[in-house]
Amino acid sequence: MTVFEEVRALCASAKQAARSVANRTAEERHRILLDMAACLEAQSAEILSANREDLARASENGVPDVMLDRLRLDEGRIGGMASAMRELVSLPDPLAKSERTVRPNGLVITKKTVPFGVLAIIFEARPNVTADAAALAVKSGNATVLRGGKEAIRTNLAIVAALKKALSANGTDPSAISLVSNTTRESADALMQMRGLVDLLIPRGGKGLIRSCVDRAKVPVIETGAGNCHVYVDAAADLSMALKVTVNAKCQRPSVCNAAESLLCHRAVAKEFLPMLYSATRSQSLELRGCPDTLAILPDITPATEEDFYTEYNDYIMSVKLVDSVDEAIEHINRTGTMHSEAIITDDDAAADAFMQGVDAAAVYRNASTRFTDGGEFGLGAEIGISTQKMHARGPMGPEALTTVKYCIEGTGTVR
Amino acid sequence: MTVFEEVRALCASAKQAARSVANRTAEERHRILLDMAACLEAQSAEILSANREDLARASENGVPDVMLDRLRLDEGRIGGMASAMRELVSLPDPLAKSERTVRPNGLVITKKTVPFGVLAIIFEARPNVTADAAALAVKSGNATVLRGGKEAIRTNLAIVAALKKALSANGTDPSAISLVSNTTRESADALMQMRGLVDLLIPRGGKGLIRSCVDRAKVPVIETGAGNCHVYVDAAADLSMALKVTVNAKCQRPSVCNAAESLLCHRAVAKEFLPMLYSATRSQSLELRGCPDTLAILPDITPATEEDFYTEYNDYIMSVKLVDSVDEAIEHINRTGTMHSEAIITDDDAAADAFMQGVDAAAVYRNASTRFTDGGEFGLGAEIGISTQKMHARGPMGPEALTTVKYCIEGTGTVR
């Protein structure tokens, strides 16, 4: 069997199993989620042992420490995955919504919220995504086909084996949670081609993976997570607030997608603000890369290239550019940004309104850090990712984003 | 300038103009729509003269009569286009929706409904689509880039010239309604590549166009209109109702996407029902193409090939297949259908429930004709097309389908 055939067979089983999840009531889906949490904890010895093997192999292969840390599980992290599943139970049922209308000809039209069917998730070496994605799928009545990174394959197999036990115990086809065991690029490519079997593909990972899915997938895709986010310090900014927000947006957790990558500063306040930022962040070894006008104020920093303004560093680096107006800031953000999260610091309502309306992003902030773009912080509960596209879902995607609609129409032999 | 550069320049102007539409209040957008209707009527002589030239050229080139009929305009049809614009004014404003929440940390999060930005529509030689699509775009605060078929180019240029007058008269950038003057395949291909400039692409036309967009577009696409729709006559059907619905679904207007293409008949009623259908439709010269079991009952009809069961005829032809159960009907529809509109005729609630839940389509009917899948019939007012995908919009797409959301967040220097 080729990799393509293997992936197709897995997706076909998941498609078959999808009906057995979609048919469940909310109570039944919640029972499955609670059992999934219990099975994860009950199988923690097996999962941790698989994880130790993955870590040993990854370490031999020179995988960097930051990635090893994401890969590493312990009892606490497994407990965290189980708690997240239990918390999903308390969120509203995304399938409960339906709107009924009666037409003048007597047709009764009910617009129902229904699951997509089969969700495919392509992700990297973070085993918690395996558990989170499978749980969100069950919550929303979907089957999932998971394709994680090769570094985590043993861990993922052990996690999925535990979750399948919970499905079987509840009379649900265990193929409703499936893991692609082949972790080559070929298996990801195959998933992208599964028209009719994969109803929605969500890539979670670096820019390369996401671009590749968007460019090549024949199945519907939601783009997630690329975040070239900006903080714009306006002429009417409270500069001490601007400093606090900029430092938080950049430095509180630079590796995540809602961290800021670039500072735009109005020329009128640049001479005062940039030295404040420079002194405040030297101790955190933040590297600033400036446009020529910035260098005139901060001569010691690195010059920024054009490329810098398009770069998501995910690191202690920030590009800096002076602008003459809020309009120039908006234009720069719409040209170089990734439509994720953008902030303006200002006391001027007109500037704030122009920014909030003109910037074309999932989340636009006034006087707050970009770091809040997150399902938990927005009160949605769990999230499967942060959509940076406009179609279907935008911003943090909770269980509702994993549903679609179906019109069910009843007549009495009604014809047109 | 290459075709690609020409299309890019047009899309860039539309992107710029999009802000000038998005900024308008509902009242201002409605004023523009009323002026668009008035300008269409005022320019009807120019439009009809351009249309006569298109018709003459098309006729010389041997374009078939059914297409000439779609291309032909007269005062009545222009009046119809203007009325449709005026009716849009009375529909609810799709941009009015917003949800506000205050988080425990004081952040005020407002989830606003906003326009996409630039909609691109690729369509064939139906000039009414030019007017309808432009009007739906204005209603929902979007700019449009229209790329119609070559047969209608003079008519489309005249229509768009009239509509641009209405934009200018209202202080709105006329690039908000743009027509691609090049009608080669190259210009359609170029539109599909305009990442960052085209926010949503809606192809309206044949299967070939839609497949080509889905396979090759780098911009977000909504699939519309492919309709291999079925009527399933269950063992518990009222056969006279089944006959009435089948004939209506197939013959009332066979050229449209919600017309039925295939009949599935439960074996238990086939010997009674198929001869009823055969005699009732001979006078309408409906060609039936049957599976071997159907041929055993109706020996005079054409044998169906496997290909027939995947074919949208858009003509007086219907494939016929016997099934042993509602489950077999569901499986056949999910395998061969296009997820558009599917009907079951039955008095059995259990069979109806299984069908409504199991069939994976935008619209599923019990005891009614598939012909009702339409924005007007569903009470949505105008529609830009019928989505056969699950992502973003499913079924008839009204103005709401042309919007997305944006989170606007206000803090007081709030950090994480």
Side-chain angles (χ1 to χ4, degrees), chain A residues 19 22-23 107-115 405-411, chain B residues 230 232 326-327 329-331 333-334 340-346 348-368 378 394:
Chain A
R19 280 179 67 186
N23 284 337
L107 280 184
V108 179
I109 303 184
T110 311
K111 185 179 182 182
K112 292 188 178 167
T113 302
V114 298
V405 296
K406 180 195 260 187
Y407 288 93
C408 296
I409 301 114
E410 300 214 32
Chain B
H230 301 74
Y232 164 57
V326 65
D327 280 339
I330 295 168
E331 185 282 321
I333 290 170
N334 287 345
H340 193 299
S341 298
E342 305 292 346
I344 181 173
I345 312 301
T346 190
D348 175 352
D349 289 344
D353 287 350
F355 189 88
M356 307 291 267
Q357 180 152 49
V359 168
D360 194 13
V364 270
Y365 291 84
R366 177 184 185 181
N367 296 341
F378 277 19
R394 199 177 195 196

Side-chain angles (χ1 to χ4, degrees), chain B residues 196-383:
Chain B
L197 294 179
V198 166
D199 295 291
L200 186 65
L201 170 63
I202 305 177
R204 285 189 56 164
K207 212 170 159 179
L209 168 64
I210 290 162
R211 277 251 40 93
S212 148
C213 286
V214 169
D215 284 351
R216 297 156 59 213
K218 303 274 187 283
V219 300
V221 175
I222 293 192
E223 290 179 63
T224 66
N228 180 19
C229 307
H230 301 74
V231 174
Y232 164 57
V233 176
D234 186 48
D238 170 337
L239 296 187
S240 70
M241 180 195 287
L243 182 63
K244 185 173 74 158
V245 171
T246 306
V247 171
N248 181 265
K250 177 68 251 181
C251 301
Q252 195 241 352
R253 199 171 167 201
S255 64
V256 293
C257 61
N258 58 19
E261 305 294 355
S262 189
L263 172 74
L264 302 178
C265 185
H266 195 287
R267 202 173 294 277
V269 293
K271 280 203 184 108
E272 190 179 350
F273 183 68
L274 295 183
M276 283 167 68
L277 179 69
Y278 183 68
S279 355
T281 56
R282 287 184 73 176
S283 62
Q284 312 199 32
S285 23
L286 176 65
E287 181 187 341
L288 299 176
R289 299 189 183 171
C291 70
D293 293 341
T294 302
L295 293 172
I297 299 170
L298 300 177
D300 293 347
I301 69 167
T302 321
T305 63
E306 178 64 11
E307 183 63 19
D308 275 300
F309 293 106
Y310 288 89
T311 302
E312 184 179 1
Y313 302 113
N314 286 331
D315 202 347
Y316 289 93
I317 307 172
M318 185 173 222
S319 63
V320 184
K321 183 182 169 74
L322 301 201
V323 295
D324 284 316
S325 63
V326 65
D327 280 339
E328 190 184 343
I330 295 168
E331 185 282 321
H332 176 88
I333 290 170
N334 287 345
R335 182 164 49 81
T336 63
T338 53
M339 308 210 294
H340 193 299
S341 298
E342 305 292 346
I344 181 173
I345 312 301
T346 190
D347 289 336
D348 175 352
D349 289 344
D353 287 350
F355 189 88
M356 307 291 267
Q357 180 152 49
V359 168
D360 194 13
V364 270
Y365 291 84
R366 177 184 185 181
N367 296 341
S369 169
T370 55
R371 289 278 293 110
F372 289 103
T373 306
D374 172 272
E377 294 292 335
F378 277 19
L380 306 176
E383 67 168 44

Side-chain angles (χ1 to χ4, degrees), chain A residues 50-359:
Chain A
N51 187 246
R52 278 189 298 271
E53 283 184 58
D54 276 334
L55 282 166
R57 193 69 55 101
S59 186
E60 275 167 36
N61 294 338
V63 166
D65 283 353
V66 54
M67 229 168 128
L68 289 179
D69 179 58
R70 287 178 178 176
L71 176 55
R72 182 172 292 113
L73 291 182
D74 54 27
E75 290 286 351
R77 287 189 172 181
I78 291 180
M81 284 157 32
S83 304
M85 288 175 180
R86 294 187 178 109
E87 278 165 26
L88 273 182
V89 171
S90 62
L91 290 183
D93 178 16
L95 303 178
K97 227 166 54 182
S98 94
E99 292 166 30
R100 185 170 174 277
T101 47
V102 183
R103 300 292 303 157
N105 60 6
L107 280 184
V108 179
I109 303 184
T110 311
K111 185 179 182 182
K112 292 188 178 167
T113 302
V114 298
F116 262 90
V118 175
L119 311 177
I121 324 276
I122 303 182
F123 55 105
E124 295 172 344
R126 297 176 62 167
N128 65 309
V129 175
T130 312
D132 291 353
L136 275 161
V138 168
K139 173 79 187 180
S140 51
N142 290 290
T144 31
V145 176
L146 301 158
R147 195 284 200 180
K150 69 174 185 301
E151 296 80 4
I153 184 66
R154 293 167 191 80
T155 314
N156 287 337
L157 282 166
I159 290 172
V160 168
L163 302 181
K164 279 174 181 287
K165 277 184 205 265
L167 294 176
S168 300
N170 285 277
T172 300
D173 186 337
S175 299
I177 300 177
S178 290
L179 182 76
V180 180
S181 57
N182 180 298
T183 56
T184 62
R185 189 183 162 131
E186 237 182 310
S187 69
D189 281 352
L191 266 183
M192 298 178 203
Q193 312 305 319
M194 293 297 150
R195 271 185 73 84
L197 295 178
V198 166
D199 295 290
L200 186 65
L201 170 63
I202 305 177
R204 285 188 56 162
K207 213 169 159 182
L209 168 63
I210 290 162
R211 277 255 36 97
S212 147
C213 286
V214 170
D215 284 351
R216 297 156 61 214
K218 303 273 186 284
V219 300
V221 174
I222 294 192
E223 289 179 65
T224 66
N228 180 17
C229 307
H230 301 74
V231 174
Y232 164 57
V233 176
D234 186 47
D238 169 336
L239 296 186
S240 70
M241 181 195 286
L243 182 64
K244 185 172 74 159
V245 171
T246 306
V247 171
N248 181 264
K250 177 68 251 180
C251 301
Q252 194 240 354
R253 198 170 166 203
S255 65
V256 293
C257 60
N258 58 19
E261 305 294 355
S262 190
L263 173 74
L264 303 178
C265 185
H266 195 287
R267 202 172 295 277
V269 293
K271 280 202 184 110
E272 190 178 351
F273 183 66
L274 294 183
M276 284 167 69
L277 179 69
Y278 183 70
S279 355
T281 55
R282 287 184 72 176
S283 62
Q284 312 199 32
S285 22
L286 176 65
E287 180 188 341
L288 299 176
R289 299 190 184 171
C291 70
D293 292 340
T294 301
L295 293 172
I297 300 170
L298 300 177
D300 293 348
I301 69 168
T302 321
T305 62
E306 179 64 12
E307 183 64 19
D308 275 299
F309 293 106
Y310 289 89
T311 301
E312 184 178 1
Y313 302 112
N314 286 331
D315 202 347
Y316 289 92
I317 308 172
M318 185 173 223
S319 62
V320 184
K321 184 183 167 70
L322 302 202
V323 295
D324 284 315
S325 64
V326 64
D327 281 338
E328 189 185 344
I330 294 168
E331 185 283 321
H332 176 88
I333 290 170
N334 287 346
R335 184 165 48 81
T336 62
T338 53
M339 308 209 294
H340 193 300
S341 299
E342 305 293 346
I344 182 174
I345 313 302
T346 191
D347 289 335
D348 174 353
D349 289 343
D353 287 350
F355 189 87
M356 306 291 267
Q357 180 153 47
V359 168

Side-chain angles (χ1 to χ4, degrees), chain A residues 28-49:
Chain A
E28 289 167 338
R29 280 177 273 124
H30 290 166
R31 166 58 43 209
I32 298 174
L33 285 172
L34 294 174
D35 283 357
M36 283 165 66
C39 286
L40 262 193
E41 291 176 331
Q43 304 279 113
S44 66
E46 288 82 349
I47 295 169
L48 290 177
S49 141

